[in-house]
Amino acid sequence: MSWSTLREILREAFYGLYHHRFRAALSMLGISWGIISVVVLLAYGEGFRKAIDYGFKGAFADGTVIVFPGQTSLQAGGERAGKRIRVTVDDVLTMADLPLVKAVSPEFMQQFPIIYGNKESSHLVRAVAASYGPMRTEKALVGGRFINEDVRLRRRSAFIGSEVQRKLFGAIPAVGETIRIAGQPFEIVGVGEEKVQLSNYNQPDKYCVFIPWTTMSGLGDNKYVATFLWQSASPWVEPQATKQVREFFATRYRYNPTDERALNMFGSTKLNEIGAGIVNGLKFVLTFIGVLTLAIGGVGIMNIMFVNVQERTREIGVRKALGATRAEILLQFLLEGLATTFAGGVIGIAFSYGLVWLLSPRPFLAELLDDTRRLTDIYLVLSPQLVAVTSTILMVVGLVAGFLPALKASRLDPIEALRYE
C-alpha cells in the first residue's frame, strides 16, 4: 500500500468521524467513563496496598521471625508426640552462631504495675536484647534511644511506649526520669515514636515497657523464654534460615525437624503473604469491575460503528466499484474506531488525574490504629505502570470494537452495496 493511498484512507477515516461528530462524541464519552473507572479503581487498589504494607512494616523488619515454643506433634527418636519444648536463653544466644541468622533476642513478658511519683499504671513489660529494637522497628524520639549496652552491663534501663509516656508523664519529658517496676527503679533512656502496626502479639508496642532481659531475674522467672525473635541474614534467605533454625532445635531437643508445631514461627514473609493475598484479591475485583465498565464503552463504539457501516453501505459499494480493496476498506473503518477509542482514552486519563488528586486520601486504618499522621489512609496512586496497563486494555478494547464492524464493511459485495437503499 503506497503512502498516497494510506494518506487518502486516513483522510476518509477522519472525515467520517467529523461528519458524524455527535455520534463519535457519545462514543468517546463511553470510553472516557470506562477509562476513568479503570484508572480510579486501580489507583485505589494501589493505595490500599501501600497502606497495608505500611501497617505491616511497623510490626517487623524484613527477615524477622517471632517464635512461640509449642509441643511436638510427631514421634521421633523414641519420644512420643506431645512433648513440650521449653527454650532457654542459652538456646537462643547459641542460635546466633547459625550461618543464616543475623540477630537473635529472647523475650520475657509479664504484666507489672509501673509507678512514677504518685501515678501508677499497669503495663506489659518486655525483657529483651539490644537487637530487639531493629528487628521490631523500635525508634526513639529525639533525645532518647533503645536499650543497647544496658543489656550487657545489666543496667536497669527502660524504653517506654508512647502511651506509657502519655499516661505517666503527660507533657513532662520522660527521658532521664526514674520509674518503679514491681518496686524496682528503672531509668528511662528513650520513648518510642508513635508507631503504626497492623500486627502485634499480646499488646501494641506503644502500651509496653522494654527492659534488658538480664535484669528480668529481679522481677520474675527468666528460666524459659515466652517467645524469641531472630532475623535472617537477608530477607531472601528467610525460608532457608527457617529450615536451619528448625533443624538446630530439633537436634537439641531430639524431635522431628519437620514438626512445625514444636516451634510456631510467624515472620515478615508470612505477613507479606497475608498482605499480598488481601491486596491481590481486592485488586482483582476492582480490575474486573473497571474492565467490565470499559468493555461496555467498547460495545457502545462497536454498535455505533456497525450503524456507520450500515448507513454508508452505498459509499462502500461506490469505493469498491472504483477499485478500493478489502484491506483499504477494513483499514479505514478500523482507524475510525481506534481514533474514537484513543481520543476517549486520552480524555479519560486526563480526568482521572484530577479525580485521583481530589479523592486522596480516603479514610482507612488511621482511626483504627490511632495513626495521627494518617499514613495508613488510602492515598490513590496513579503510577506510570498503572497508566501503561490501562492503555494496553484500552488498545485491546479499541481493536476489538473497531475490527468487527470494519471486517463487515470490507466483506460487503459491491453490487449488493450499490443496490442498498
Side-chain angles (χ1 to χ4, degrees):
M1 187 180 297
S2 65
W3 168 245
S4 60
T5 304
L6 182 59
R7 185 173 57 188
E8 181 65 21
I9 291 171
L10 286 169
R11 190 184 70 81
E12 288 291 335
F14 284 102
Y15 174 77
L17 288 175
Y18 176 77
H19 186 66
H20 301 283
R21 51 189 176 277
F22 182 72
R23 190 181 294 169
L26 290 177
S27 301
M28 290 177 191
L29 179 63
I31 285 294
S32 297
W33 181 252
I35 282 293
I36 290 170
S37 299
V38 172
V39 171
V40 171
L41 289 173
L42 289 181
Y44 185 91
E46 188 65 18
F48 181 88
R49 181 189 67 80
K50 291 202 169 190
I52 291 288
D53 285 349
Y54 186 85
F56 280 144
K57 285 188 181 298
F60 297 100
D62 290 339
T64 300
V65 178
I66 179 172
V67 186
F68 302 89
Q71 61 183 28
T72 60
S73 60
L74 303 174
Q75 291 185 345
E79 296 279 353
R80 291 190 304 173
K83 179 177 118 175
R84 186 177 177 187
I85 304 300
R86 300 169 70 88
V87 177
T88 65
V89 173
D90 287 340
D91 295 331
V92 177
L93 298 181
T94 304
M95 188 184 72
D97 297 330
L98 295 176
L100 296 180
V101 174
K102 176 182 176 182
V104 299
S105 173
E107 183 175 24
F108 301 94
M109 291 181 284
Q110 193 169 339
Q111 201 83 12
F112 285 109
I114 312 296
I115 300 173
Y116 173 71
N118 60 356
K119 293 184 179 179
E120 180 177 342
S121 181
S122 179
H123 294 282
L124 183 68
V125 174
R126 298 175 183 260
V128 297
S131 56
Y132 185 94
M135 285 192 285
R136 289 293 316 282
T137 62
E138 303 293 348
K139 295 179 181 178
L141 294 172
V142 176
R145 60 175 175 82
F146 194 72
I147 54 176
N148 45 39
E149 284 296 300
D150 311 272
V151 178
R152 184 177 62 84
L153 299 175
R154 298 177 179 268
R155 291 178 184 152
R156 289 181 178 174
S157 303
F159 178 87
I160 64 175
S162 57
E163 281 298 308
V164 179
Q165 193 271 344
R166 187 184 63 81
K167 287 184 178 181
L168 293 178
F169 295 91
I172 302 172
V175 177
E177 297 294 326
T178 299
I179 57 175
R180 301 189 76 83
I181 303 176
Q184 296 191 21
F186 282 78
E187 181 185 354
I188 297 175
V189 296
V191 178
E193 284 186 352
E194 191 67 33
K195 183 178 178 180
V196 177
Q197 57 182 115
L198 265 176
S199 176
N200 64 77
Y201 51 105
N202 287 324
Q203 287 184 8
D205 295 354
K206 60 185 177 182
Y207 295 104
C208 298
V209 176
F210 302 86
I211 64 173
W213 69 265
T214 49
T215 62
M216 187 62 184
S217 58
L219 300 176
D221 182 23
N222 67 341
K223 185 176 181 181
Y224 300 109
V225 297
T227 59
F228 63 94
L229 286 80
W230 59 272
Q231 187 176 24
S232 59
S234 164
W236 312 111
V237 299
E238 185 181 322
Q240 295 91 327
T242 300
K243 182 180 178 183
Q244 200 172 78
V245 170
R246 289 193 183 281
E247 290 175 349
F248 169 80
F249 280 98
T251 302
R252 205 170 180 91
Y253 286 95
R254 297 191 302 277
Y255 66 85
N256 193 324
T258 62
D259 189 350
E260 295 188 359
R261 292 188 180 180
L263 294 177
N264 299 296
M265 298 192 186
F266 187 83
S268 57
T269 299
K270 189 68 175 176
L271 278 177
N272 291 336
E273 289 176 0
I274 294 171
I278 296 171
V279 171
N280 291 338
L282 178 67
K283 289 179 78 172
F284 174 79
V285 173
L286 294 179
T287 303
F288 178 77
I289 294 171
V291 171
L292 191 62
T293 306
L294 185 57
I296 292 171
V299 170
I301 287 184
M302 188 184 298
N303 286 335
I304 289 176
M305 288 299 298
F306 274 122
V307 171
N308 281 345
V309 170
Q310 186 175 5
E311 288 184 350
R312 296 161 66 182
T313 300
R314 284 179 62 85
E315 174 194 331
I316 296 167
V318 171
R319 293 195 65 200
K320 282 198 168 186
L322 293 175
T325 64
R326 290 179 58 180
E328 291 168 353
I329 299 294
L330 185 144
L331 183 58
Q332 176 189 338
F333 283 91
L334 182 59
L335 286 174
E336 288 186 25
L338 286 174
T340 305
T341 306
F342 179 76
V346 170
I347 295 169
I349 290 175
F351 271 97
S352 297
Y353 272 97
L355 276 176
V356 165
W357 179 76
L358 285 172
L359 294 174
S360 292
R362 307 308 304 159
F364 184 39
L365 295 172
E367 293 294 336
L368 177 66
L369 301 177
D370 296 327
D371 178 12
T372 56
R373 293 180 292 173
R374 316 296 299 185
L375 294 173
T376 48
D377 281 340
I378 294 177
Y379 293 82
L380 277 68
V381 180
L382 189 53
S383 62
Q385 293 86 350
L386 190 150
V387 174
V389 169
T390 307
S391 300
T392 303
I393 297 171
L394 178 66
M395 190 181 301
V396 172
V397 170
L399 282 171
V400 174
F403 180 76
L404 295 178
L407 185 64
K408 179 184 178 181
S410 69
R411 288 180 173 178
L412 286 175
D413 183 84
I415 297 175
E416 294 297 327
L418 287 170
R419 291 176 179 172
Y420 184 80
E421 294 293 337

